[in-house]
Amino acid sequence: MSRVIVIGAGLAGLVAANRLADGGAEVLLLSKGIGGLQLGQGTVDVLGYNPQRVTNPIKAVAEVAAEHPYATIGAQGVLTALGYLKELVPDLLVGDPEANYHLPTAVGALRPTCLAQPSMLAGNLKAGSSVVVVGLRRLKDFQPELIAGNLGRTELPDGGRVAARAINVDIAAREGEIDSSGLAFAHAFDVPAFRQQFADLLAPLLKDGEIVALPAVIGLKDRQAHSDLAAKLGHPVFEIPLPPPSVAGLRLNQALNARALAAGVRMVSGVRTVGFAADGDRILNVRNATVPAEREYRADAFVLATGGFEAGALAMDSYGTVTETLFGLPLVGTENTPLIHGDYWGAEQPIFSVGVGVDSQMRVLGNGKPVYANLRAVGDVIAGSTRWAEKSGDGVAAASAVLAADSILKEL
């Protein structure tokens, strides 16, 4: 059995690790932390804006500019990755690659996304719908009045509008606790007796035909919590993700980690990978910053899934020089100076598109050829997209991870 090391535990790293293990490789996943999925919405964005709102993400993927990662990955690569993701967590991600959902956010705007959790789907609203946004008085990160007000003013993709109102329910997630976190409520909603208590409080406040919007805290581990609560209320129910840390993101993170462990992936977390050794065009090993001495891990192939600037995979010094911090890889997009201009409300900042260039196997390129034959880069470290603005980060992460894993498996 050949050994592959994946560095990074975000969506790209976890998808790559699962795919490699499913293909028969011995996989070691190294990470300095627990990854960034719990900072997200718990959904998978493929392409939300180009710059107009996208309704068919796969069609839009096929029309991106030549420098965008999707131009290398291709629409079929994205389709393959989305299908694989739904196989990995079949009870947690659903959706049609050719039709974005438009789901309410914690400020009452509509956010396009491709794959969503079943507990969110009733939020894909139609014209004429009536929504009641239900706040929990002891959860301060969810403001039902703000959400309902903005939802009522928002034009839906079909041109219609919804009627929305706000109410609040006072229930303690834990006895004697005045203010509780979303995670505390999620643990409470995992308990059937708490769901019944909550339904008994809420049901008399609902009007016929209303769709119930709740903060995304309806259970962390119990996948039936949402459907059970909807049945108790006799109304459709949907969740709206909260600001980080997100319970919906935690669900996805835990599910992908559990799937990887079940597939045989070995994980070493909590220590940063700080160095490597190479022989010619092949990486021999990477080193973790363990104490009292660095620890060396050897492998036949390596996957760099360390993220972008926000994760420390890319860094800019006081002279404006950008570097890839582990392998010192050549970067694309640094020629577009200044990388940060002073018009913060103007054109896109060039720095957002800086990263490594890759070929169709996700091998990092320098002077038009792979820098290391056994190194792939996946996810946010790849150049050419403004992921936060166009909402493409999840799709690029998953698709690049699957392409990288498949190309490694062919070589092992």
Side-chain angles (χ1 to χ4, degrees), residues 119 188-200 214 218 222-237:
S119 57
F189 274 105
D190 275 334
V191 180
F194 180 88
R195 296 199 292 267
Q196 186 62 62
Q197 182 186 0
F198 179 75
D200 291 343
L214 286 166
I218 310 175
D222 185 352
R223 297 281 187 271
Q224 305 305 314
H226 163 262
S227 57
D228 178 57
L229 180 61
K232 284 179 167 57
L233 292 171
H235 287 253
V237 173

Side-chain angles (χ1 to χ4, degrees), residues 372-396:
Y372 297 107
N374 61 341
L375 174 67
R376 269 73 172 178
V378 299
D380 287 356
V381 75
I382 298 176
S385 62
T386 307
R387 295 169 288 279
W388 62 272
E390 62 187 28
K391 301 196 179 305
S392 62
D394 301 329
V396 170

Side-chain angles (χ1 to χ4, degrees), residues 7 273-276 286-287 304 306 312-313 323-329:
I7 309 164
T273 303
V274 295
F276 72 103
V286 293
R287 300 189 307 276
L304 180 68
T306 45
T323 55
E324 187 280 310
T325 58
L326 178 54
F327 294 104
L329 298 168

Side-chain angles (χ1 to χ4, degrees), residues 345-383:
W345 299 105
E348 180 180 296
Q349 303 283 354
I351 194 170
F352 293 136
S353 296
V354 172
V356 301
V358 293
D359 64 11
S360 60
Q361 298 181 37
M362 301 298 111
R363 295 177 299 188
V364 178
L365 298 177
N367 296 322
K369 62 181 182 180
V371 178
Y372 297 107
N374 61 341
L375 174 67
R376 269 73 172 178
V378 299
D380 287 356
V381 75
I382 298 176

Side-chain angles (χ1 to χ4, degrees), residues 6-18 29-38 85 252-253 256-257 260 267 304-307 311 378-380 393-394 397-398 401:
V6 177
I7 309 164
L11 180 63
L14 289 170
V15 170
N18 272 287
L29 190 149
L30 304 176
S31 66
K32 66 177 181 180
I34 59 173
L37 276 172
Q38 62 276 1
L85 260 177
L252 187 55
N253 187 55
L256 288 173
N257 271 280
M267 298 185 179
L304 180 68
T306 45
V378 299
D380 287 356
D394 301 329

